[in-house]
Amino acid sequence: MKLYTYFRSSASYRLRIALNLKGVAYDSIPVHLLRNGGEQLQQAYRDINPAALVPSLDVDGVILTQSLAIMEYLDETHPGTPLLPSDALGRVTVRALAMLIAGDTHPLTNLRVLTYLKRELGLSEEVKLEWYRHWMREGLASVEALLAREAGNGIFCHGNAATIADCCLVPLVYNAERFEIDMGPYPSVVRIAAHCNSLPAFAAAHPSQQPDAE
Ligand SMILES: N[C@@H](CCC(=O)N[C@@H](CS)C(=O)NCC(=O)O)C(=O)O
């Protein structure tokens, strides 16, 4: 498998964790989101992923896109270490957490949105950062509230096994800390992310460990 990735991309980071948890080997193909006006925007990469977003996963010449969809694909094709609970209620809980992060929070803070706010709408760097931190705090507060309902249930987002929710949570926390968001109000988020980060599959997926890390 070939993973089109950028070391700091949280959607790529999700998928790197999932691949590591599954023990699936892959080659990284870096796509630099900032260099040359963004390599993701160049035609060569648009031919791979018309949405001009990373990650993309090349599986025997077939290009898969969308980190959540790919994680579910991996779960179906490599059932060894399940990334979803065996019960329907568990699965809906895990998918809800994953979508809260990947569907409701991350798109508001994505590079292309921040670039548009600054370049096209003329927002200052300071106001742009306030936008970023505002939506991150909203997302973190919602995740924290959902996780609090699960309190005592386990060491991960749901129970005692890592799921796609944890694959989404850890990159969210990485970004929040990078942008110096006070994590005090989100103790469950911090506790679970710290546990995940102590595990080799998560540690190896960290941006600092990637071949394109700067
Ligand atoms: N829903 C997509 C989101 C992918 C995405 O937004 N990727 C970001 C990096 S985390 C990206 O490529 N951004 C490039 C840009 O904004 O121009 C997924 O989960 O795969």
Side-chain angles (χ1 to χ4, degrees):
M1 292 192 192
K2 289 189 290 188
L3 177 66
Y4 293 86
T5 173
Y6 178 60
F7 73 116
R8 276 195 184 125
S9 149
S10 51
S12 305
Y13 190 179
R14 285 173 209 148
L15 200 45
R16 295 195 302 258
I17 298 167
L19 286 160
N20 292 347
L21 285 168
K22 289 289 185 186
V24 174
Y26 64 91
D27 293 323
S28 291
I29 304 188
V31 179
H32 202 294
L33 298 189
L34 303 173
R35 200 175 288 155
N36 303 323
E39 291 176 356
Q40 78 279 20
L41 301 173
Q42 293 170 6
Q43 194 55 47
Y45 185 69
R46 285 184 192 272
D47 290 343
I48 292 160
N49 184 342
L53 299 168
V54 290
S56 303
L57 188 68
D58 181 331
V59 182
D60 299 329
V62 178
I63 306 288
L64 310 182
T65 64
Q66 291 293 343
S67 60
L68 292 190
I70 300 172
M71 286 195 284
E72 295 230 9
Y73 166 84
L74 289 172
D75 216 28
E76 289 168 17
T77 52
H78 298 78
T81 309
L83 295 178
L84 285 169
S86 55
D87 62 305
L89 268 182
R91 286 195 294 278
V92 72
T93 305
V94 164
R95 287 183 175 126
L97 275 165
M99 291 175 78
L100 185 52
I101 297 169
D104 295 348
T105 305
H106 173 251
L108 288 160
T109 62
N110 204 354
L111 174 65
R112 61 185 179 177
V113 171
L114 301 179
T115 304
Y116 184 79
L117 287 173
K118 198 165 173 191
R119 209 177 279 166
E120 308 299 326
L121 301 186
L123 297 196
S124 66
E125 179 68 16
E126 195 183 11
V127 175
K128 184 197 85 177
L129 277 175
E130 188 41 44
W131 166 286
Y132 183 94
R133 293 190 177 115
H134 170 78
W135 292 115
M136 285 292 278
R137 287 190 206 102
E138 289 286 314
L140 284 161
S142 304
V143 173
E144 177 66 26
L146 278 190
L147 288 175
R149 286 194 200 167
E150 298 251 334
N153 283 0
I155 46 179
F156 292 97
C157 285
H158 182 77
N160 289 317
T163 63
I164 62 171
D166 301 285
C167 298
C168 292
L169 184 82
V170 165
L172 178 79
V173 172
Y174 166 79
N175 277 325
E177 289 176 343
R178 188 167 156 243
F179 283 88
E180 298 175 348
I181 290 172
D182 173 14
M183 297 300 285
Y186 323 112
S188 309
V189 169
V190 170
R191 173 180 57 78
I192 293 165
H195 174 66
C196 290
N197 282 323
S198 71
L199 305 173
F202 286 83
H206 191 275
S208 65
Q209 301 305 304
Q210 304 316 302
D212 57 330
E214 290 166 0

